[in-house]
Amino acid sequence: MLRATDHARLLLAPRIKSGDWVVDATVGNGHDTLWLAERVGAAGRVYGFDVQAAALETATERLAGQPHITLVLAGHEHMAAELPADARDRIVVVMFNLGYLPGASKAVTTRAATTIAALEQALGLIGVGGMISLVLYPGHAGGALEAAAVRSWMQTVPVQFAASHCVRMNALEAAPELVVIERLK
Amino acid sequence: MAPYRVPDAALWPNAMPETDFDTIIVGAGIAGASLAWALREAGQRVLVLDACEPVTASRIAAGLVTPITGLRLTLQPDFARCLEAARAFYGRIETITHARFFYARTAVRLFQSDRDRRYFSERSAQPEFRAQLVDPQPDPLLAPTIADAADGGFVMQAAQLDVAALLAVTRRHVPHVSMKVDWRRDVVFDPGGVQVGGYRARHVVSCEGFAASANPYLGALQFNAAKGDILTLRLERAIARQVIHRGIWIAPTAAPDVVNVGATYDLENLVAVPSPTARAEIESKLGAFFRVPYTLIDHRAAVRPIIRQSHPSIGLHADFPQLGFFNGLGSRGALLAPRFGGDLAAQIVGAASPDGQPRGGG
């Protein structure tokens, strides 16, 4: 089955070229960070954010030897403050994978208010043709609330962006949802 | 690669609003839903917390909007204005949600006694009363449904809210979290607002219905309550889609051959369990005039709040200005919730903005 995380990669891959600047807003164990790093190559830059030191320790090991990756121990709502000033309009992709860190405490999850704040900032960072992907997990505690908040926020995104929503309609339980926001002009 | 960077948090601009939400609403019944939409229209961020009980007074309510009610054929105070507010309000939500849940209906009141007829001829002298009546009188659609049309009655312009449908679309459009709020344990007031079960907001509003009688902050509200039983019947043939009142009401549903009949008014047994006595009472009243054969397909019961003198109780708490309450709509929720929900929303939005003025949309 096409999982929401794989679906996100399928849509983002054609947008990313060698030398691009990209952001992983939720590093977690670093899988997406590594995937992004391979795509942009040594000439590109990857910025990764996470609030959990344990996640960044694991990710650091996984990403060893890739000097073009900058990991920051901070919530993604501080993305705009932590990126260099010339990153604005230059970021090609921002990836979010919400929820809790696999294998770690389920008490630490992303929250609706910080997620919306980060999304607002990501809108200001991506250049024309750039894309934000976001995978939501409405099945866990707090995830349903976060998903509802993101869905209503999406309707308020200015029309120079296209905000789309993709969800398996015949799932028996709350299925992960993919949100893709593309800057049109 | 270099180890990860630990930035100096003091340099971050304040990216976050101080609160997660402007207002947290406790209770997703007709009061909570109306207030949620009114606050959203005013641009607020709203969260609804609800215990998600399968049977509640709102969920089983027939949603009747009736201009003339009671043993004395009383015209509802300010009916025309409340109905206009209700029609406009539900219409806006229907447009936003592409759903349909507010219907114009005629309602027939059948006389049971000479006293009814006497009241009717007295009341008919008032122009406001006559304005609620519609032609034709009596309604010819009714004849095959009732046993003895000769007792007479009158037909009025009424309306019906599909409360369950309104609550369902509200759940899809306003963030809802399933949580039974324990006011002592889960609610913490502070000068800047309130925390409810880990969510922060400026205001919290109790829209809990009868459950608010256990709210430790609302002890000053004098509650009465009445358990109401409602039967759902499948009729042998479809009847005209109108409401019929004769000691009980018969209300249409989405299916043309299914009606709800109710409700009892039990002030003693306040446990929301369907009772055989209530069923017998409804069926006996129904048998006195209704002649379409039926089978019983459901029987539900819930407890509705009635505040002393039947006035709804709405406002902000005197000692905890972050706490609002919206309760006691009784059996008139479908008619009154939009107007009073709008009034309370204006009060909350006014209190939340620094200059005391309601904020614009956004």
Side-chain angles (χ1 to χ4, degrees):
Chain A
M1 194 185 82
L2 180 65
R3 293 183 308 161
T5 44
D6 298 332
H7 195 175
R9 290 185 182 188
L10 279 175
L11 295 171
L12 296 178
R15 307 266 164 164
I16 308 172
K17 298 187 308 293
S18 174
D20 279 345
W21 292 17
V22 296
V23 175
D24 185 351
T26 46
V27 169
N29 288 331
H31 295 288
D32 282 333
T33 325
L34 180 60
W35 181 81
L36 287 167
E38 287 166 358
R39 245 129 223 97
V40 300
R45 288 193 197 174
V46 181
Y47 296 93
F49 294 86
D50 208 292
V51 287
Q52 295 186 82
L56 295 186
E57 305 283 356
T58 315
T60 304
E61 283 170 34
R62 173 165 284 123
L63 305 169
Q66 310 228 30
H68 60 301
I69 301 178
T70 308
L71 297 183
V72 187
L73 180 68
H76 46 212
E77 70 275 20
H78 305 296
M79 184 191 302
E82 287 300 319
L83 290 182
D86 55 349
R88 174 167 280 274
D89 290 337
R90 189 161 175 184
I91 300 293
V92 173
V93 153
V94 183
M95 284 183 95
F96 292 79
N97 191 4
L98 303 182
Y100 50 83
L101 177 67
S105 164
K106 294 188 182 180
V108 182
T109 70
T110 54
R111 295 182 61 210
T114 47
T115 301
I116 301 295
L119 282 166
E120 288 281 354
Q121 294 173 22
L123 291 181
L125 291 168
I126 58 172
V128 176
M131 218 177 228
I132 301 166
S133 75
L134 181 139
V135 178
L136 293 161
Y137 299 89
H140 76 82
L145 170 71
E146 188 171 41
V150 170
R151 280 186 233 113
S152 39
W153 172 82
M154 283 175 74
Q155 299 173 35
T156 69
V157 171
V159 291
Q160 64 266 37
F161 298 88
S164 312
H165 183 220
C166 176
V167 60
R168 181 176 171 198
M169 299 302 286
N170 67 339
L172 298 178
E173 291 171 347
E177 301 177 14
L178 172 64
V179 167
V180 177
I181 298 164
E182 185 184 355
R183 181 165 165 196
L184 304 173
K185 55 186 176 184
Chain B
M1 62 178 278
Y4 59 85
R5 186 148 60 84
V6 182
D8 179 1
L11 299 177
W12 288 334
N14 186 12
M16 291 282 303
E18 286 165 34
T19 57
D20 300 330
F21 298 94
D22 294 309
T23 300
I24 292 173
I25 293 171
V26 180
I30 176 72
S34 305
L35 180 63
W37 283 103
L39 289 169
R40 291 257 302 211
E41 287 188 329
Q44 282 213 336
R45 297 164 299 156
V46 177
L47 173 69
V48 180
L49 303 178
D50 187 59
C52 292
E53 310 279 355
V55 175
T56 67
S58 282
R59 283 193 185 180
I60 70 170
L64 302 181
V65 172
T66 316
I68 297 159
T69 58
L71 293 174
R72 298 175 183 199
L73 308 189
T74 312
L75 178 62
Q76 287 292 304
D78 221 1
F79 179 79
R81 198 179 135 198
C82 287
L83 179 62
E84 198 38 54
R87 192 180 286 134
F89 179 77
Y90 296 130
R92 288 199 299 276
I93 304 172
E94 286 180 331
T95 306
I96 294 167
T97 60
H98 306 284
R100 189 83 210 283
F101 43 78
F102 193 65
Y103 303 92
R105 299 256 190 252
T106 53
V108 184
R109 170 76 181 257
L110 298 171
F111 295 143
Q112 293 188 79
S113 63
D114 284 339
R115 200 183 62 161
D116 285 354
R117 273 180 284 274
R118 216 166 41 241
Y119 271 119
F120 182 70
S121 60
E122 276 173 29
R123 303 281 197 222
S124 298
Q126 305 162 9
E128 309 84 52
F129 185 93
R130 279 202 311 276
Q132 304 306 326
L133 306 181
V134 293
D135 291 328
Q137 304 263 6
D139 189 331
L141 293 173
L142 198 58
T145 307
I146 59 171
D148 189 1
D151 281 348
F154 61 93
V155 190
M156 51 198 151
Q157 184 56 55
Q160 189 181 13
L161 175 69
D162 184 340
V163 186
L166 169 66
L167 301 186
V169 298
T170 305
R171 190 167 283 281
R172 286 206 300 275
H173 285 259
V174 181
H176 278 58
V177 167
S178 171
M179 181 193 292
K180 184 162 174 54
V181 173
D182 176 333
W183 287 81
R184 282 198 179 80
R185 195 191 61 205
D186 300 333
V187 181
V188 182
F189 292 103
D190 61 54
V194 58
Q195 277 208 42
V196 186
Y199 301 106
R200 259 190 73 71
R202 293 168 195 272
H203 287 99
V204 60
V205 184
S206 161
C207 299
E208 301 165 282
F210 171 57
S213 56
N215 186 317
Y217 297 99
L218 301 178
L221 292 181
Q222 298 292 313
F223 265 94
N224 280 323
K227 188 189 87 156
D229 283 58
I230 293 176
L231 306 183
T232 305
L233 311 180
R234 184 178 298 286
L235 306 179
E236 246 175 42
R237 56 186 164 82
I239 62 171
R241 266 220 178 109
Q242 59 187 341
V243 185
I244 305 170
H245 296 266
R246 191 183 183 278
I248 50 172
W249 45 254
I250 303 174
T253 67
D257 62 341
V258 175
V259 294
N260 286 316
V261 186
T264 53
Y265 210 83
D266 185 345
L267 299 163
E268 309 284 318
N269 303 301
L270 297 181
V271 182
V273 178
S275 83
T277 326
R279 174 183 165 180
E281 180 189 330
I282 296 172
E283 291 202 277
S284 144
K285 285 182 177 171
L286 188 68
F289 70 98
F290 191 72
R291 71 176 183 201
V292 180
Y294 63 84
T295 45
L296 179 70
I297 56 174
D298 201 4
H299 177 187
R300 292 173 295 174
V303 178
R304 49 204 185 293
I306 304 156
I307 295 195
R308 200 150 59 176
Q309 298 170 336
S310 294
H311 288 305
S313 181
I314 292 152
L316 297 179
H317 196 282
D319 300 326
F320 299 95
Q322 310 96 313
L323 170 63
F325 45 93
F326 185 8
N327 216 316
L329 297 171
S331 53
R332 292 173 292 163
L335 175 65
L336 299 181
R339 182 174 160 197
F340 288 125
D343 288 351
L344 180 57
Q347 203 181 343
I348 289 170
V349 172
S353 70
D355 56 0
Q357 295 299 311
R359 292 196 313 184

